[in-house]
Amino acid sequence: NGSKFLRYTFHDNYWNSNSRGFMIEEKKDWKLLVKATECCRDFVPIDDLITWMLLPNNVMLVEKDNVGLATYERNGVYNVHWYFHSARGREAITLAKKMCAEIFNNYGGETLIGIVKTRLKASRWACRKVGFKSYGKLIYDDGYENEILFATKEEFMKGLNNG
């Protein structure tokens, strides 16, 4: 629908675009990454962001002030997290679906992982609406219970699990 993504990776600086009509920009943008994650500084420390930026396969998708981070885990597997500031409700779900499709179609994603604190009920619900499927809960070292959700490319592209 004319949405544009900016893609930031941290190993090259050049312009590119793809056939889906998204504007893709590759560059380092430390300020944007820090600003997007301000809300979570207690569990996303600055040192972790520095490390994240240095890994060349990590992807940052941006539309306005809404940011999607895809942390490369291994070939075909990304751990994703969204920091949406202005997108809400259906708009946020649509944007998250577009970001997932971008990872699947243009970055070799086969499986996306979402880890969401169980106290964030709206975020967990949104993940299911996007197309993620729950595979249970676990407690991290920080003492918080988290739900583990997965989206596979095959299920996502067929529209399975959406909603």
Side-chain angles (χ1 to χ4, degrees):
N1 70 5
S3 295
K4 299 208 182 302
F5 287 117
L6 298 176
R7 177 191 181 243
Y8 297 92
T9 63
F10 306 104
H11 60 285
D12 291 313
N13 291 313
Y14 65 92
W15 284 89
N16 198 353
S17 64
N18 68 32
S19 62
R20 301 176 77 74
F22 300 124
M23 180 68 70
I24 298 172
E25 181 183 15
E26 296 196 28
K27 71 175 193 175
K28 295 180 181 178
D29 196 328
W30 172 251
K31 289 181 182 179
L32 184 59
L33 181 61
V34 169
K35 183 177 180 180
T37 58
E38 275 178 334
C39 62
C40 308
R41 194 61 62 229
D42 57 330
F43 55 89
V44 183
I46 295 292
D47 288 347
D48 288 356
L49 294 178
I50 293 168
T51 301
W52 192 91
M53 284 187 69
L54 294 174
L55 298 173
N57 292 323
N58 291 339
V59 178
M60 183 172 164
L61 298 172
V62 178
E63 185 176 68
K64 301 176 187 166
D65 61 346
N66 304 300
V67 174
L69 300 180
T71 301
Y72 179 86
E73 297 290 341
R74 61 179 36 101
N75 191 27
V77 180
Y78 287 88
N79 186 324
V80 297
H81 192 82
W82 300 298
Y83 297 92
F84 289 173
H85 294 279
S86 61
R88 295 285 184 252
R90 288 183 189 160
E91 180 186 3
I93 290 167
T94 300
L95 180 56
K97 285 180 180 181
K98 288 179 182 179
M99 289 181 172
C100 289
E102 186 77 4
I103 297 298
F104 286 135
N105 292 326
N106 297 306
Y107 301 100
E110 293 294 327
T111 301
L112 304 181
I113 303 167
I115 301 172
V116 183
K117 294 195 180 328
T118 54
R119 64 181 167 80
L120 301 174
K121 292 179 183 180
S123 295
R124 292 170 40 223
W125 174 86
C127 284
R128 286 179 180 78
K129 289 294 184 187
V130 168
F132 284 73
K133 183 177 175 184
S134 178
Y135 282 86
K137 298 175 183 172
L138 61 83
I139 297 177
Y140 273 162
D141 292 339
D142 62 7
Y144 288 106
E145 183 180 68
N146 296 272
E147 185 168 8
I148 307 302
L149 302 112
F150 289 86
T152 66
K153 181 177 183 176
E154 179 181 4
E155 291 175 338
F156 186 86
M157 295 306 177
K158 289 180 181 176
L160 302 176
N161 302 335
N162 294 50

